[in-house]
Amino acid sequence: MQEKKDYTLDLVKQRKESIDQVSPTFCLAKWLQSTVLLYNGFTHSCHHPDRHKIDKNDLVNNAQGIHNTPVKMAARKDMLNGVQTKECSYCWNIENLDKSHLSDRIYKSTYSWSFPRLNEVLESQQGAMITPSYLEIAFDSACNCKCLYCNPESSSSWQKEIQEFGPVPQVGSPLYDLGYIKKIGALPIPQGEPNPYVDAFWKWWPEIYKKLKVLRITGGEPLLSPNTWKLFDLIQQDPRSDLNFSINSNLCLPRLTIEKLVQKINQMEPHLQSFEIYSSLESIGSQAEYVRFGMKFDEFLDNCRYVLDQTSVNVRLHFMTTINVLSAPQFLDFLKLIVELRKKYRITSHNFRLRTFFNYLRWPNCFSIAMLSDADKEIYGEQWISFVEKHQIKQNLTADQFFYDEEVEQIKRLVDYMKSFRPPQKEYENFRLFIKSTDQRRKTNFGETFPQFAHYLEKDYYGF
């Protein structure tokens, strides 16, 4: 969600003091943000922790069971008591590395959808009946892409590939064994089959809609789900001027579908607080296509421009990043692309319709940005920091300033994280196994696409 322009780094630090007074591990997102995957009944609060299964029995007499699960309430108890609850290691990695870094725990606790409800959350204690103000919902896993670090739980295209070729080989246990996924209850319920989680959501909808500040649809590719278009119609019929509505989309769909999306946006957006589109990118060209398999980069970029050209200036496009080892060779070019698009799609001199947030990949471990050699870490890290600092927005505003303070901070923490550890040697072998399997399955060629990293496939390469 795009914050108002008065959401500054100074305001974040000011609100941080209130958050830390509760406890040094307190995070409002654990109470107020919820992602619910209706296609398999999994959920998490904040997008970083692992997902866990919703007990269908908890939904019988309490629709809030979709959100307030025993796992979340146990984590909330830890946070109130100052415990670094295990599932939130993403933020602890950042905070333990350097106390001056602002982790997502702080950002998410200081947004307009979270911070105003601080007292309400504290009064709820573990929040057995708390209603989220930020809801991300996925109706099914239908997807036309199979991004390298995605999985068959989230993409029907990935699931079909695993059904055809089997799991991805790794040292020890392979990845994406459909038998195991089915055993833990994570195998998606096929589109069109009875789904108790979708049924529970539609029963919950009249209640939850009243409290939501942010509603976000994800997938799979949500534009392939009939339920997405149903939700569009419901919002259009009963718009709320204080609702921030957004959708995740790979924007790698036929132009007719993108035109239909634009039509819906133009019908809804004037009656909402905001409408935002989130798409995924952290590289460019053929290297982006290799990682986000199913993407045609030029067509994707054309669709991005079409959406921005054909909608109001109030509509924002966000690039979600999952920065990984394969982002590194062209990440600087990606930053330059952000500058190019921000130049074209300005609202005011330093307010842009294109936004981003720099996240590092956590899983699979073999694609971590930390897989880079020490020499590459130094070279790339210096390039990235130098570029964003050169174009950082400062008080003496000039035309070549394009990166906000928080974005520069995110790049710096990314580089610190990248340099802070080296993966176990087995992850280099896992990388080779994964890439060789991918090339065989998809008829791709890693060495040609990533000539900078061709040596990563050598048997004796361990990044040293």
Side-chain angles (χ1 to χ4, degrees), residues 139-203:
F139 290 106
D140 58 57
S141 64
C143 189
N144 56 318
C145 290
K146 39 188 175 183
C147 299
L148 203 61
Y149 46 76
C150 193
N151 56 71
E153 297 170 39
S154 304
S155 165
S156 57
S157 293
W158 248 116
Q159 185 176 346
K160 289 176 183 176
E161 180 172 301
I162 297 301
Q163 287 170 337
E164 181 177 358
F165 296 103
V168 176
Q170 297 280 267
V171 175
S173 301
L175 287 177
Y176 312 143
D177 184 305
L178 294 184
Y180 174 75
I181 294 173
K182 183 176 182 180
K183 181 180 178 180
I184 64 173
L187 197 66
I189 299 170
Q191 194 178 72
E193 291 191 8
N195 186 322
Y197 305 103
V198 172
D199 293 343
F201 170 76
W202 288 123
K203 290 179 182 178

Side-chain angles (χ1 to χ4, degrees), residues 61 94 104 141 154 157 174 200 203 213 255 260 312 335 340 346 354 360 365-366 373 397 444 450 462:
N61 297 312
I94 296 297
D104 286 5
S141 64
S154 304
S157 293
K203 290 179 182 178
K213 294 297 182 183
R255 179 53 63 89
K260 182 179 179 182
S312 159
L335 295 174
E340 175 190 330
R346 296 178 189 263
L354 180 79
Y360 68 85
N365 293 330
C366 64
S373 68
L397 297 178
T444 50
F450 294 88
Y462 291 108

Side-chain angles (χ1 to χ4, degrees), residues 194-462:
N195 186 322
Y197 305 103
V198 172
D199 293 343
F201 170 76
W202 288 123
K203 290 179 182 178
W204 189 35
W205 173 249
E207 175 187 354
I208 186 66
Y209 185 49
K210 299 173 185 177
K211 293 280 284 186
L212 287 178
K213 294 297 182 183
V214 181
L215 174 61
R216 187 164 168 176
I217 311 176
T218 187
E221 168 49 56
L223 295 180
L224 298 179
S225 172
N227 281 297
T228 295
W229 302 100
K230 175 181 176 180
L231 195 57
F232 281 169
D233 290 340
L234 290 174
I235 299 294
Q236 185 179 343
Q237 293 164 14
D238 184 20
R240 280 184 34 211
S241 60
D242 62 342
L243 179 68
N244 296 277
F245 191 19
S246 58
I247 184 169
N248 294 357
S249 174
N250 58 42
L251 293 180
C252 297
L253 297 162
R255 179 53 63 89
L256 284 177
T257 303
I258 303 301
E259 289 175 355
K260 182 179 179 182
L261 171 64
V262 165
Q263 182 183 36
K264 284 294 182 183
I265 292 172
N266 289 335
Q267 290 169 343
M268 290 184 286
E269 180 271 326
H271 309 289
L272 304 172
Q273 182 166 323
S274 68
F275 194 106
E276 310 196 32
I277 304 163
Y278 289 78
S279 199
S280 298
L281 194 67
E282 59 280 304
S283 185
I284 68 168
S286 62
Q287 293 188 2
E289 292 174 348
Y290 187 97
V291 174
R292 299 197 171 278
F293 192 80
M295 165 192 278
K296 294 181 180 178
F297 183 76
D298 290 341
E299 292 182 8
F300 163 79
L301 211 53
D302 283 345
N303 283 339
C304 291
R305 293 187 175 109
Y306 178 83
V307 168
L308 291 170
D309 287 338
Q310 299 299 320
T311 58
S312 159
V313 295
N314 298 319
V315 175
R316 305 292 178 94
L317 172 64
H318 298 249
F319 284 157
M320 300 179 291
T321 66
T322 310
I323 302 165
N324 59 88
V325 65
L326 299 186
S327 310
Q330 293 191 321
F331 188 65
L332 180 60
D333 292 318
F334 169 68
L335 295 174
K336 292 177 180 178
L337 175 63
I338 291 174
V339 168
E340 175 190 330
L341 292 173
R342 284 182 170 176
K343 282 181 179 178
K344 181 175 181 180
Y345 297 104
R346 296 178 189 263
I347 298 175
T348 59
S349 59
H350 293 87
N351 188 11
F352 314 104
R353 295 182 66 192
L354 180 79
R355 293 301 178 107
T356 192
F357 199 97
F358 300 109
N359 294 304
Y360 68 85
L361 174 142
R362 296 177 64 210
W363 189 88
N365 293 330
C366 64
F367 293 123
S368 167
I369 190 71
M371 293 285 290
L372 289 169
S373 68
D374 290 342
D376 283 343
K377 290 176 182 180
E378 290 295 330
I379 293 170
Y380 288 128
E382 182 179 348
Q383 286 179 351
W384 305 337
I385 291 176
S386 175
F387 185 80
V388 295
E389 284 187 334
K390 177 182 178 182
H391 297 288
Q392 184 173 359
I393 297 172
K394 300 176 182 177
Q395 290 183 346
N396 57 332
L397 297 178
T398 61
D400 64 344
Q401 296 177 5
F402 296 97
F403 291 99
Y404 298 97
D405 291 343
E406 57 267 31
E407 293 173 332
V408 175
E409 160 66 19
Q410 290 156 20
I411 292 294
K412 289 181 177 179
R413 78 180 190 185
L414 167 71
V415 173
D416 279 354
Y417 172 77
M418 176 178 72
K419 294 179 178 180
S420 67
F421 76 97
R422 177 165 302 289
Q425 287 190 359
K426 73 171 185 178
E427 296 303 340
Y428 293 91
E429 182 60 25
N430 284 337
F431 178 88
R432 285 188 283 271
L433 290 169
F434 202 126
I435 292 299
K436 289 178 180 178
S437 172
T438 296
D439 281 353
Q440 184 177 14
R441 295 162 184 246
R442 302 181 182 178
K443 310 302 181 187
T444 50
N445 189 310
F446 177 82
E448 290 182 1
T449 308
F450 294 88
Q452 307 93 330
F453 290 164
H455 60 289
Y456 279 29
L457 298 184
E458 296 174 6
K459 186 68 177 177
D460 59 348
Y461 178 76
Y462 291 108

